[in-house]
Amino acid sequence: MNPTLENTLDTNITAHTQASSTFVPTACGLLPEEPLLIEQSKEGRCGVDLPALKGTASRTGVAQRETIGLPQVSEQQAIRHFVRLSQRNYSIDAGFYPLGSCTMKHNPRQNEKFARFPGFALAHPLQPESTIQGALALMYELQQCLATITGLPGVSLAPAAGAHGEMAGIMVIRSAHVAKGRARKTVLIPDSAHGTNPATAALCGYEIKTIASTKQGFVDVEAFKALLNDDVAAMMLTNPSTVGLFDPNILEISSLLHQAGAYFYCDGANFNAIVGKVRPADFGVDVMHINLHKTFSTPHGGGGPGSGPIVVTEELAPYLPIPQVIKKNDRYHLITESKTSMGRVKGFNGQFGMFVRALSYALAHGSDGLRQAAEDAVLNANYIFARLKDLYHAPFEGPCMHECLLTDKNQKAHGISTMEIAKTLIEFGYHPMTVFFPLVVQGAMLIEPTESETKETLDQFIDTMRWIATEISQGRGDVFKENPRSTPRRKLDEVSAAKYPKLTWMDLVG
């Protein structure tokens, strides 16, 4: 070794050893605690070599690039940082995910592969129709598929998500009333509805009237009749409902609506419980949105892309958003103009990647496979419900549909709430269920197992839930108030987090 270099190394090692005499490692396993990327920044450090910027000086003479404030880190620092963050994420690939509502679904990998075929992934929405016949054929076939499954012939693939579909659906209803010269002002919504329902109706200019639920969790038909009159434009009903039940009065409700000249809007967020079993048109639905990301395979948990096509009756089809795909003489065409359409609700043609996944899922399963997926979802939820309802309070008698509803009523008597139970599930490796929803039930725990889970996985989750309930009932539940303890971040002070939110890294280091 070069004598000069050897002396330099010896000097540095000695200095480091002296300086490290009080050093205590903070790493834990192979996922060490580390500062934010912006805190790792060193002046002049860079992961890539780029040519000097030209013409970027500001009026003050300072190059704009220097004012951006991006962290200056090496390529290796950036890669390691984001890989470590990804390893701390919980996902359906990592464990059981009993989160209810509209954010979960089994997503076969093959559908991802199909969505990434270059002919689909690299297509541009401004290409001439003659160069995207395959993509248009796929959209047309998906339209036909959704129409067949729901019994509703009018389809628009344009809405970008469930709530967006709600808005488009209510605007279709509004357009139909306007075309008939009827200025109706009211939309009826049950008190157990998704919060997006009243928000959508209000956004479209309607007054909201709330229908109470019965003690059994269904729409109170007498209360519904009392509110129904010729000023009602529509009723928005989720069926199966947010309490996991199929309303047995659905035919009477839709019939009364139609007699009053109103339309029946069905929130299709829970369509995965009945797809292949019953067609919504057969119980009187006029408009429904479908969450492709829940019923037809698209990763959505954690905020991924959604897609909320709407399906409507033949009467309402003229008012659907554009564009739509038609087939004429074995060629496919985009309809981009219509005198009766409510217009566009999204740029270009919708969430095309979601269309590929949805059609792949439907074709791969077939009608029997879709029906079995719905049956399995319902079976799994009822299995959990049957094995937990002796320890956790069940506000509504079963059987349930694809999700079961329990509450913390029994555990609250021992000072433990739904939130502590959910945090304890995190401590033992499970993503919590939906908590404190629906709002009509105190301390709600809405559990929705994915239809593809094994009995062994369900049993492990059930055993954990039963152990938690037993510990609480035997007076050992106070320890749960500190959970989670083994996660990278311990339980938050939720009052301070809500009162003094730290929304940027500067808030954290300040």
Side-chain angles (χ1 to χ4, degrees):
M1 180 181 292
N2 183 303
T4 304
L5 178 58
E6 188 173 7
N7 290 338
T8 302
L9 281 173
D10 286 344
T11 302
N12 285 342
I13 291 171
T14 301
H16 180 73
T17 302
Q18 291 172 345
S20 302
S21 60
T22 59
F23 175 75
V24 177
T26 58
C28 178
L30 293 177
L31 286 175
E33 188 65 51
E34 63 179 315
L36 300 173
L37 207 58
I38 194 72
E39 297 173 290
Q40 298 181 40
S41 180
K42 295 284 187 184
E43 182 70 25
R45 186 171 290 168
C46 184
V48 293
D49 291 325
L50 297 173
L53 296 178
K54 296 179 181 178
T56 58
S58 67
R59 292 181 178 179
T60 61
V62 179
Q64 290 181 346
R65 186 174 180 178
E66 295 179 2
T67 65
I68 293 177
L70 294 176
Q72 299 181 57
V73 295
S74 70
E75 180 181 6
Q76 198 170 46
Q77 279 181 292
I79 289 174
R80 286 176 176 170
H81 182 75
F82 287 112
V83 168
R84 284 171 180 158
L85 288 183
S86 71
Q87 290 171 335
R88 286 178 173 170
N89 276 346
Y90 191 87
S91 67
I92 201 165
D93 289 342
F96 185 51
Y97 206 94
L99 186 69
S101 195
C102 53
T103 55
M104 59 170 296
K105 187 72 184 70
H106 171 54
N107 299 288
R109 291 295 181 273
Q110 68 174 1
N111 301 342
E112 293 300 310
K113 183 178 180 180
F114 298 151
R116 286 168 172 73
F117 280 177
F120 291 144
L122 302 181
H124 193 283
L126 294 182
Q127 284 182 227
E129 282 185 358
S130 60
T131 66
I132 54 169
Q133 283 294 298
L136 295 180
L138 184 146
M139 293 174 67
Y140 180 81
E141 189 165 353
L142 179 59
Q143 289 177 181
Q144 301 299 104
C145 176
L146 297 180
T148 300
I149 289 172
T150 61
L152 294 162
V155 183
S156 171
L157 302 177
H164 198 200
E166 288 179 31
M167 186 196 75
I170 291 298
M171 289 177 73
V172 165
I173 289 174
R174 185 181 185 86
S175 297
H177 281 303
V178 169
K180 293 179 179 178
R182 304 186 302 199
R184 299 198 171 203
K185 300 177 180 177
T186 307
V187 170
L188 305 181
I189 302 177
D191 57 6
S192 63
H194 289 118
T196 49
N197 290 179
T200 293
L203 184 69
C204 293
Y206 287 108
E207 178 186 354
I208 315 303
K209 289 189 177 178
T210 304
I211 308 169
S213 298
T214 64
K215 293 181 179 178
Q216 292 76 35
F218 304 122
V219 172
D220 186 328
V221 177
E222 294 307 314
F224 163 69
K225 290 178 180 176
L227 293 173
L228 185 60
N229 54 48
D230 59 8
D231 208 25
V232 173
M235 175 180 180
M236 299 181 78
L237 176 66
T238 306
N239 198 35
S241 68
T242 60
V243 299
L245 301 173
F246 189 97
D247 201 306
N249 301 310
I250 198 73
L251 286 174
E252 181 181 6
I253 290 170
S254 62
S255 176
L256 290 170
L257 278 168
H258 293 154
Q259 290 174 27
Y263 294 105
F264 179 12
Y265 183 97
C266 182
D267 182 319
N270 295 335
F271 188 43
N272 65 318
I274 58 174
V275 63
K277 300 286 292 183
V278 61
R279 299 186 310 171
D282 294 340
F283 55 80
V285 170
D286 296 298
V287 186
M288 185 176 84
H289 77 263
I290 301 171
N291 291 355
L292 292 187
H293 47 271
K294 184 176 183 184
T295 302
F296 295 99
S297 176
T298 284
H300 191 59
S307 182
I310 56 174
V311 288
V312 304
T313 59
E314 186 173 359
E315 175 196 347
L316 295 176
Y319 309 106
L320 282 170
I322 52 173
Q324 294 173 44
V325 182
I326 64 167
K327 184 179 181 181
K328 188 175 182 181
N329 298 327
D330 292 329
R331 302 289 290 175
Y332 298 93
H333 307 278
L334 275 174
I335 301 298
T336 57
E337 292 186 7
S338 165
K339 292 182 179 178
T340 56
S341 168
M342 54 177 281
R344 286 184 180 267
V345 295
K346 191 179 188 308
F348 299 118
N349 308 321
Q351 308 277 47
F352 183 76
M354 277 69 279
F355 305 157
V356 180
R357 295 182 180 94
L359 187 60
S360 302
Y361 183 87
L363 293 179
H365 280 69
S367 58
D368 57 336
L370 292 176
R371 183 167 58 251
Q372 182 178 342
E375 290 173 347
D376 289 350
V378 174
L379 177 64
N380 284 358
N382 277 284
Y383 181 64
I384 290 177
F385 184 65
R387 290 201 54 200
L388 290 181
K389 65 180 181 180
D390 60 327
L391 297 180
Y392 294 91
H393 171 248
F396 305 116
E397 187 177 351
C400 60
M401 295 299 290
H402 62 299
E403 52 194 354
C404 65
L405 185 60
L406 303 168
T407 84
D408 61 5
K409 186 176 181 180
N410 299 341
Q411 291 69 41
K412 206 66 178 289
H414 297 274
I416 302 299
S417 71
T418 285
M419 187 57 71
E420 275 94 38
I421 296 169
K423 300 290 187 185
T424 300
L425 281 175
I426 294 175
E427 178 66 12
F428 291 103
Y430 295 99
H431 192 288
M433 68 293 277
T434 296
V435 296
F436 299 117
F437 182 84
L439 300 178
V440 292
V441 176
Q442 291 286 325
M445 292 183 280
L446 191 60
I447 304 172
E448 181 173 2
T450 308
E451 74 288 342
S452 55
E453 296 293 350
T454 65
K455 180 175 179 296
E456 289 75 16
T457 299
L458 299 182
D459 283 336
Q460 290 168 0
F461 172 76
I462 290 167
D463 289 344
T464 303
M465 286 289 288
R466 293 187 68 84
W467 178 82
I468 292 171
T470 302
E471 289 294 296
I472 294 171
S473 65
Q474 296 181 358
R476 295 190 291 269
D478 281 350
V479 68
F480 296 159
K481 294 181 179 178
E482 301 301 321
N483 285 334
R485 302 160 184 265
S486 306
T487 49
R489 291 291 174 269
R490 297 279 304 272
K491 185 176 182 178
L492 296 175
D493 179 344
E494 294 178 13
V495 174
S496 295
K499 201 170 182 180
Y500 310 107
K502 296 178 178 179
L503 303 177
T504 71
W505 68 272
M506 290 181 285
D507 295 327
L508 293 171
V509 301

